[in-house]
Amino acid sequence: MAKAKFENGMQEIELSGSVGAGGANQYGDVVAVQALLKYSMTGRPQFRGSYIEDPDGICGPKTIGLIKKYQEYLRKNGRRVSLDGRIDPAKSGAAFGKRGMWTIEMLCAQALETWVLSGAANDNYVRDMYTKFPKFRAAIPNPPIGTLNLQLASSRRVVGTLGLSLE
């Protein structure tokens, strides 16, 4: 099952298996890839006229075709990725594998860019996708919230509370 995690202070989607042509195509992983593609590619000039389906967890010809189109898009923009119609899990958190960049890493970076440019009110792109795609919410039931990265200095005076609450 796909999961959301923080890697080097950044929110990312981690796949448990490959998605696409010849992949394991586990439901949660397929939903995560479909949601990332829909979130990241909708509205981009290179994908105008392309039907980008809502996440449904089924890896059929449309999903595989969209993965290939995304990989071709990356290649045209100087990224070294495989053109195999499959998105594999990134190994060891590295951006590069034996055959080039991990497509999932590029897709997560694209989702981050989309989120930043959209000005969404949510605190990260995974949270934004969580609100937009019900099947993504079911596939990744508890996305991590992250940390506040606060540092407290010692003091003799009682200051109060932060007054924070969790959703």
Side-chain angles (χ1 to χ4, degrees), residues 29-79:
D29 292 330
V30 174
V31 167
V33 166
Q34 289 172 329
L36 282 164
L37 287 166
K38 178 127 181 138
Y39 184 79
S40 302
M41 298 298 107
T42 299
R44 292 198 183 252
Q46 301 84 348
F47 289 82
R48 278 199 195 112
S50 295
Y51 174 72
I52 303 175
E53 61 192 347
D54 286 331
D56 63 5
I58 300 166
C59 188
K62 289 181 183 175
T63 299
I64 292 170
L66 193 57
I67 291 169
K68 285 180 182 176
K69 187 169 185 167
Y70 179 66
Q71 290 172 331
E72 289 168 0
Y73 161 77
L74 290 173
R75 277 276 181 104
K76 287 178 185 171
N77 287 289
R79 304 288 188 233

Side-chain angles (χ1 to χ4, degrees), residues 3 22 24 33 39 93 106 108 120 123-124 129 133 138 162:
K3 66 180 180 178
V33 166
Y39 184 79
M106 299 292 93
C108 288
D123 58 351
N124 61 58
M129 290 182 357
F133 307 118
L162 292 173

Side-chain angles (χ1 to χ4, degrees), residues 3-151:
K3 66 180 180 178
K5 66 174 188 163
F6 277 95
E7 184 77 32
N8 300 324
M10 301 294 291
Q11 185 85 38
E12 288 189 352
I13 301 296
E14 182 177 86
L15 301 177
S16 62
S18 56
V19 174
N25 295 320
Q26 296 172 18
Y27 176 82
D29 292 330
V30 174
V31 167
V33 166
Q34 289 172 329
L36 282 164
L37 287 166
K38 178 127 181 138
Y39 184 79
S40 302
M41 298 298 107
T42 299
R44 292 198 183 252
Q46 301 84 348
F47 289 82
R48 278 199 195 112
S50 295
Y51 174 72
I52 303 175
E53 61 192 347
D54 286 331
D56 63 5
I58 300 166
C59 188
K62 289 181 183 175
T63 299
I64 292 170
L66 193 57
I67 291 169
K68 285 180 182 176
K69 187 169 185 167
Y70 179 66
Q71 290 172 331
E72 289 168 0
Y73 161 77
L74 290 173
R75 277 276 181 104
K76 287 178 185 171
N77 287 289
R79 304 288 188 233
R80 216 178 89 218
V81 298
S82 294
L83 295 174
D84 56 7
R86 188 177 72 216
I87 298 179
D88 294 311
K91 296 185 174 92
S92 74
F96 287 88
K98 288 180 183 176
R99 298 185 297 168
M101 296 177 142
W102 295 109
T103 305
I104 188 65
E105 295 290 326
M106 299 292 93
L107 195 50
C108 288
Q110 206 93 48
L112 175 62
E113 179 184 284
T114 299
W115 173 74
V116 168
L117 294 174
S118 73
N122 292 303
D123 58 351
N124 61 58
Y125 73 88
V126 173
R127 277 278 212 234
D128 204 31
M129 290 182 357
Y130 194 75
T131 61
K132 292 177 192 245
F133 307 118
K135 292 201 177 184
F136 180 75
R137 185 171 40 247
I140 301 180
N142 295 309
I145 295 169
T147 62
L148 296 174
N149 293 325
L150 297 176
Q151 292 182 357

